[in-house]
Amino acid sequence: MSVHDLLKEYIETGRIKLDKSKHPELTTYHDPCNYGRKSERTFGHGYYEEPRWIVQQCVENFVDTYPTKVNNYCCGAGGGAWAMPYAEERIYYGRVKVKQIKDTGAEMLIAPCHNCRDQIMKSLRQEYDMMDLEVKYLWELVADSLVIEGVDE
Amino acid sequence: MQSEPLVLSKREKRKLAGEYPDLCLTCGTCAGGCPVTGVDGMDMRKAVRMALLGLDQELIDSRFPWICTLCARCEHGCPMSIDLLKMMRSARTHRERDKVPGVLHKGVVQCLKSGNNVGIPKEDYLFLLEDLGVELAEELPGFRVPVDDKGARILVTINSKEPFAEPEDMFFWWKIFYAAKESWTTTSENWEGVNWGLFTGDDESMKEVVRRIVEHYKSLECEYLLLPE
Ligand code: SF4
Ligand code: SF4
């Protein structure tokens, strides 16, 4: 089961409640290659709409990247690059993603992948002067938006 | 009179050109959309040419199949729908294991041996989960981390990076499960969710890691499997 299907199920069936007002900042989304193109080619379905919908249940202002979805660019750390010694190439690769993110003007970026999140948060932000950008996992955003019965109410 | 068709490639002799690169139009679409085109003087179109010309070993020895992130943008754009990623991945497969760059292959070996890529011992792992569970229960009354719970609806794997370096990042999913009153479980062994065999082109190890997860899934009688990667 995909993380997207599960989170969507929780939200749609009301099993979890979210409060958008916790995230007023302009937010964009990064398409990981594995949930997009590769899922589409292998399983006939790319997860493009689901994560965007989930993000928009958690934030008030959403902006997409250009290009987007199936044509989106890789963060530069796919294929295990994070665990390889070719850091210079990995960072060079990421310049395209950085431009995409900067062009949106977003203050927060959501990535549903460990690898993409690490590349953008721990490497590209520093290398390309984007320290103001907040980077979160999709499930981190959801967790931070939760209103838990008996705890928050 | 019917004549023999011209033979364009002897596919069976090629190691890397298995998935129809002989259909390549040399249009350059693949290379045009790739952020690392030009690094080491390489690009995907050239890689296809190399495979077709029998320069398999040169491609295998080059850095290109590893600098390429297997992002599939080229493959998506290719007008002939050539399986470019399969070719790149098989170039990785043919790399001698001790020449796989970085820690990837060591991680694979470690995972087969210890059940996770970074070699966290079972006792340490269970101790950490319990400790974190107690911490989170201060915020979420009654919370605990289910381990090897038979009959849980969802079996969840863990990215070893989290217990290894960023344990509190596990809270995100735990909080969501708590809020959703989900029935879930992780496992005390072979809980690794990151399958590096995928990246090193090591099908056998990759399948073994998957097999172990499926084994848990069956023996614990779970309904769904979640790999939050
Ligand atoms: S899969 Fe590799 S060659 Fe193709 S676009 Fe991505 S990085 Fe470039
Ligand atoms: S996009 Fe396809 S057809 Fe065009 S050069 Fe690349 S592999 Fe050949």
Side-chain angles (χ1 to χ4, degrees), chain A residues 93, chain B residues 34 36 44 64 68-74 85:
Chain A
Y93 192 124
Chain B
C34 167
V36 282
M44 186 53 99
F64 189 68
C68 158
T69 64
L70 310 177
C71 80
R73 215 169 173 269
C74 49
L85 259 63

Side-chain angles (χ1 to χ4, degrees), chain A residues 10 38 41 79 122 137, chain B residues 70 83 92 161 166 182:
Chain A
Y10 286 160
K38 284 195 241 172
R41 185 141 173 145
K122 299 184 190 164
Y137 294 120
Chain B
L70 310 177
D83 286 318
R92 290 187 178 197
K161 173 191 81 174
E166 300 166 347
E182 186 57 88

Side-chain angles (χ1 to χ4, degrees), chain A residues 1-3 6-7 9-10 15-16 33 35 37-38 40-41 67 70-74 76-81 83-86 89 92-93 95-96 112-114 117-118 122 137 139-140 142-144 146 148-149 151, chain B residues 33 35-37 39 63 66-67 69-73 75-76 81-83 85 92 101-104 139-141 153-154 159 161-162 166 169 172-173 175-182 196 199 224-229:
Chain A
M1 180 183 230
S2 147
V3 297
L6 184 64
L7 292 173
E9 176 192 311
Y10 286 160
R15 282 181 74 178
I16 59 173
C33 314
Y35 285 123
R37 280 185 292 273
K38 284 195 241 172
E40 186 171 329
R41 185 141 173 145
V70 73
N71 291 315
N72 218 326
Y73 283 97
C74 168
M84 276 192 254
Y86 309 133
E89 290 74 17
Y92 171 70
Y93 192 124
R95 77 200 182 284
V96 183
C113 164
H114 281 101
R117 177 266 203 174
D118 282 358
K122 299 184 190 164
Y137 294 120
W139 46 90
E140 178 177 3
V142 172
D144 289 348
L146 283 173
I148 304 176
E149 232 175 280
V151 176
Chain B
V36 282
T37 281
V39 172
R63 297 199 307 168
W66 304 90
I67 285 173
T69 64
L70 310 177
C71 80
R73 215 169 173 269
E75 188 176 84
H76 175 72
S81 213
I82 297 167
D83 286 318
L85 259 63
R92 290 187 178 197
V103 295
L104 286 174
E139 189 187 330
L140 308 175
R153 188 173 90 109
I154 302 180
N159 182 323
K161 173 191 81 174
E162 295 192 327
E166 300 166 347
D169 282 4
F172 306 135
W173 272 112
K175 280 184 188 168
I176 298 172
F177 291 145
Y178 179 89
K181 303 188 173 67
E182 186 57 88
W196 273 348
F199 300 145
Y224 295 105
L225 173 63
L226 188 75
L227 293 111
E229 288 321 310

Side-chain angles (χ1 to χ4, degrees), chain B residues 4-58:
Chain B
E4 282 286 302
L6 285 175
V7 179
L8 289 174
S9 79
K10 291 189 182 129
R11 196 167 294 147
E12 70 282 0
K13 283 199 181 156
R14 298 271 185 266
K15 271 193 277 199
L16 304 182
E19 302 291 325
Y20 320 119
D22 53 330
L23 295 178
C24 174
L25 306 171
T26 68
C27 69
T29 303
C30 50
C34 167
V36 282
T37 281
V39 172
D40 292 350
M42 277 298 295
D43 61 55
M44 186 53 99
R45 193 186 65 95
K46 277 192 190 169
V48 172
R49 287 292 100 195
M50 287 171 81
L52 277 170
L53 292 168
L55 299 171
D56 300 50
Q57 200 54 47
E58 283 78 355

